[in-house]
Amino acid sequence: MIVIALVIISVGGETGYCQTKRPEGPETTVYKAQKKGRQDVVAVIDGNLVITEHEVDEAAGSQLYTLQEKIFSLRQSILKNLLIQTVLKEEAKRRGMTEGELRKQLMPDRVEVKQSDIDQAYADNLSVLENMNEDEAKQRIRLDLESRLKFDRYKAAVTEILSRAKIETFLSEPVPPASTINAEGPSKGPRDASVTIIEFSDFQCPYCKQAATNLKPLMQSYGSDVRFVFKQMPLPIHPDAFKAAQASVCAGEQGEFWEYHDILFSADDLSEQALKKYASDLGLPSDEFNSCLASEASATVVRRNMQEARQADVQGTPTFFVNGKIIRGLKSLEDFKNVIDHTLKSRQQELKRAPTQ
């Protein structure tokens, strides 16, 4: 049995191209929605209620952005490798050799490692190498340092070749979704600032400590344009972090949050005894502070912040929200300046577009 499918083609008309003729009869609900400008329809209920892809993405929020970040990072890495491969292939042609020969030429045969660097590396890793003969251990360190230095020189040579090529990249970086987070808590800067930075932090996290150092000059340079809000997110991997967070809440109740915050980030000891000593050094009444530290009330404040973090898909510390846009991990001072400058510019443009009363 032969089945023949008949497709009617219309030619000409206003469209100027060939298209399959739409069957006669009621239009599909998706087609109706698309005619009304809803091109991202993913579901229709009872022929009338429409769910769009935008609504799905909005509901997914930060979870979707996390996946998009991973995809972008993978594409970025692959793109970099393809750029290097393509540029080196062209450079090899120019030099009249194969790509493999060029790569071998860019890798130095010999490098000189300073004895002082070997001695320092040995001293830094003595606890790991203590069961090994010193001469043998230093020989292994020498080989390791030579290998690293050779590869550093190779990467520098490749970078120099890439810098001579005219390269334009158009990989689109995902735009972080805006999150609505309660901006209440210990803060610096005016409530009506154009930019609000909310940080979820952990007093035992080394990256949070560095972030605190980076943010100080940043806040000073932007003045009233920026407001900074601190949120607690002690991680389970840091045994003293929760109690330290409680202690900062207690110091805040006595008007000394930021002073105590700075002490905690500069301290190596966050034991309960040390937390009480830091409070005493600040002149906080011991009875009040110690009672607060032992209370369920201060623990509740910390847990409430942690719950906010979970709802906003905060996965580690430090995590920042700049006017609701998520930024994960430690950033350099320059990176933060770029984010704030861009946010300030966007805010100014929004104000210009806003209708005047």
Side-chain angles (χ1 to χ4, degrees):
M1 178 179 174
I2 300 174
V3 178
I4 300 175
L6 178 63
V7 178
I8 302 173
I9 305 294
S10 64
V11 182
E14 292 182 5
T15 56
Y17 62 91
C18 298
Q19 66 178 132
T20 304
K21 187 175 180 180
R22 185 171 296 279
E24 297 295 332
E27 294 173 330
T28 66
T29 50
V30 172
Y31 182 63
K32 286 179 182 178
Q34 289 175 343
K35 280 177 68 177
K36 295 177 183 178
R38 306 306 298 266
Q39 297 297 323
D40 61 342
V41 175
V42 293
V44 180
I45 305 165
D46 294 334
N48 182 36
L49 301 174
V50 169
I51 296 175
T52 65
E53 188 173 347
H54 174 74
E55 289 171 317
V56 172
D57 290 353
E58 200 171 57
S62 297
Q63 295 177 61
L64 182 62
Y65 176 64
T66 300
L67 295 174
Q68 290 172 335
E69 276 186 308
K70 291 178 181 178
I71 293 170
F72 175 74
S73 179
L74 177 61
R75 284 175 171 164
Q76 199 173 38
S77 177
I78 292 172
L79 175 59
K80 183 179 179 181
N81 289 335
L82 288 172
L83 285 170
I84 291 173
Q85 182 181 328
T86 304
V87 171
L88 288 187
K89 192 175 289 184
E90 291 302 306
E91 180 67 15
K93 282 182 186 177
R94 192 183 68 79
R95 298 189 187 189
M97 59 177 66
T98 66
E99 183 188 342
E101 289 170 337
L102 174 60
R103 287 180 182 271
K104 188 176 179 180
Q105 188 182 88
L106 297 178
M107 181 71 75
D109 292 328
R110 294 174 61 88
V111 290
E112 184 179 345
V113 177
K114 295 178 181 178
Q115 185 62 43
S116 58
D117 291 339
I118 296 172
D119 294 340
Q120 184 62 53
Y122 178 76
D124 291 342
N125 296 278
L126 193 56
S127 60
V128 180
L129 304 170
E130 59 184 355
N131 295 326
M132 188 182 296
N133 175 276
E134 182 176 341
D135 290 337
E136 181 185 350
K138 287 188 175 181
Q139 181 59 22
R140 289 193 181 188
I141 290 171
R142 178 186 296 278
L143 293 173
D144 183 51
L145 292 178
E146 283 179 353
S147 178
R148 291 184 197 179
L149 189 53
K150 281 182 180 181
F151 190 63
D152 286 345
R153 298 271 177 85
Y154 170 79
K155 287 195 297 183
V158 170
T159 300
E160 197 276 327
I161 292 173
L162 286 172
S163 69
R164 296 200 301 264
K166 185 180 179 182
I167 298 173
E168 295 177 274
T169 60
F170 306 98
L171 202 59
S172 298
E173 189 169 357
V175 178
S179 297
T180 304
I181 298 175
N182 180 354
E184 296 302 316
S187 65
K188 290 181 177 180
R191 284 183 172 273
D192 61 350
S194 297
V195 177
T196 297
I197 302 172
I198 300 174
E199 179 190 10
F200 285 91
S201 188
D202 173 324
F203 286 111
Q204 211 171 352
C205 166
Y207 305 110
C208 296
K209 180 180 290 193
Q210 184 59 51
T213 301
N214 290 351
L215 285 168
K216 272 190 176 181
L218 200 70
M219 291 299 298
Q220 292 170 355
S221 62
Y222 284 96
S224 61
D225 285 334
V226 175
R227 179 176 182 236
F228 177 70
V229 181
F230 186 92
K231 297 275 189 180
Q232 311 281 359
M233 191 186 168
L235 301 177
I237 59 172
H238 297 143
D240 297 327
F242 191 94
K243 210 64 180 178
Q246 269 187 271
S248 72
V249 171
C250 296
E253 287 186 1
Q254 298 186 37
E256 298 289 349
F257 175 83
W258 291 109
E259 291 77 2
Y260 199 78
H261 161 284
D262 293 347
I263 289 173
L264 293 184
F265 273 131
S266 63
D268 294 323
D269 184 3
L270 294 179
S271 65
E272 188 167 341
Q273 183 179 355
L275 296 175
K276 292 176 179 178
K277 180 181 182 302
Y278 303 147
S280 177
D281 292 343
L282 267 179
L284 303 182
S286 297
D287 290 344
E288 289 181 35
F289 181 85
N290 295 347
S291 175
C292 175
L293 188 59
S295 72
E296 183 58 29
S298 60
T300 299
V301 173
V302 177
R303 291 194 190 99
R304 194 180 298 130
N305 279 193
M306 294 170 70
Q307 178 63 25
E308 285 184 77
R310 283 190 289 271
Q311 290 172 346
D313 194 35
V314 175
Q315 300 173 4
T317 56
T319 295
F320 304 89
F321 290 85
V322 181
N323 279 17
K325 302 294 178 67
I326 192 169
I327 299 175
R328 303 183 194 275
L330 176 64
K331 301 297 178 185
S332 69
L333 185 60
E334 193 59 36
D335 286 340
F336 248 120
K337 283 176 66 68
N338 290 337
V339 171
I340 292 173
D341 289 342
H342 177 74
T343 308
L344 280 172
K345 186 176 180 181
S346 298
R347 180 64 178 151
Q348 288 166 358
Q349 290 172 344
E350 287 173 11
L351 293 173
K352 286 180 181 177
R353 289 195 297 266
T356 55
Q357 298 296 329

